[in-house]
Amino acid sequence: MKNNFIILTDTRQQKEKHILKEFDSQGILHIRTGLPSADYMALRYDDKKGFYLDYRVLIDTKKDIEEIAGNLCNSQSHERIKREIFKGQELGAKEFIFLINGGKVKTIQDLQNWTSKRTKVKGSTLLKIMCTMRERYGVRFIICNKKDIGKKILELLGGKNER
């Protein structure tokens, strides 16, 4: 199964050693290339199709809550994020997932009480925007510990079990 699965990482994505280390430890080949949408997706091999880009699941990682807050609560960044989601959907994405290093925030609901000295954005505002985006555009927001992000990417892209 592992031979039928390669992870593609967008060249605009900063190299996150902890994620690449997880891919390596699982024996998953990963290639940096320009992606039209998101940071991670799968390249698969099928005996009938050969190699094909699997756009079903697209993953965009965020280094922390402040980054996603800046992306969603700034009108210019928000429009850029929406364009990226729409591009992914045009390509056939069934799931567009934002995978966020939450730090002390463990769940999406924990955002209700989140604050930061680095931004004026309140957690309750960010949570409302995320819920609206989930309803309107069908995107998912997943909070994860930094050390588990590589494993979560593999799980979401089907690197453990073929979909």
Side-chain angles (χ1 to χ4, degrees):
M1 192 280 312
K2 288 183 181 179
N3 296 337
N4 297 344
F5 177 79
I6 298 170
I7 291 183
L8 300 180
T9 305
D10 190 56
T11 52
R12 294 166 294 191
Q13 172 72 354
Q14 289 185 8
K15 287 185 182 178
E16 296 181 287
K17 293 178 184 173
H18 63 286
I19 294 174
L20 301 179
K21 186 177 177 182
E22 180 62 34
F23 297 165
D24 291 340
S25 76
Q26 297 289 331
I28 303 292
L29 182 62
H30 47 92
I31 300 171
R32 286 180 63 82
T33 188
L35 297 179
S37 181
D39 297 328
Y40 297 93
M41 65 176 288
L43 175 69
R44 298 191 188 279
Y45 180 80
D46 180 273
D47 290 335
K48 294 177 185 172
K49 296 182 195 179
F51 281 102
Y52 67 97
L53 296 171
D54 185 354
Y55 289 106
R56 291 178 297 174
V57 178
L58 300 176
I59 300 172
D60 199 89
T61 55
K62 299 299 174 188
K63 68 177 175 138
D64 54 29
I65 303 296
E66 283 88 359
E67 182 180 8
I68 193 75
N71 289 163
L72 299 183
C73 300
N74 171 292
S75 59
Q76 259 187 326
S77 294
H78 187 89
E79 289 304 313
R80 181 184 55 77
I81 292 289
K82 281 178 23 182
R83 284 192 303 273
E84 191 163 346
I85 293 165
F86 296 153
K87 177 66 174 175
Q89 291 171 342
E90 286 172 14
L91 293 167
K94 303 289 184 247
E95 289 192 277
F96 195 105
I97 301 166
F98 290 95
L99 188 55
I100 307 156
N101 172 16
K104 293 179 181 178
V105 174
K106 303 300 180 204
T107 70
I108 293 294
Q109 292 307 316
D110 290 347
L111 287 173
Q112 188 67 37
N113 301 314
W114 176 81
T115 59
S116 172
K117 294 176 183 171
R118 296 187 294 192
T119 179
K120 294 179 182 179
V121 176
K122 293 180 180 175
S124 57
T125 303
L126 178 58
L127 180 60
K128 286 178 188 174
I129 292 169
M130 291 170 132
C131 289
T132 299
M133 290 188 75
R134 183 181 64 217
E135 291 168 20
R136 285 189 187 162
Y137 312 121
V139 298
R140 288 175 56 194
F141 296 92
I142 298 174
I143 304 285
C144 192
N145 287 324
K146 182 178 178 176
K147 67 178 181 59
D148 296 327
I149 289 178
K151 288 177 188 168
K152 193 68 175 173
I153 291 169
L154 289 173
E155 175 189 321
L156 293 167
L157 290 178
K160 296 286 186 194
N161 302 306
E162 277 293 333
R163 293 175 178 240

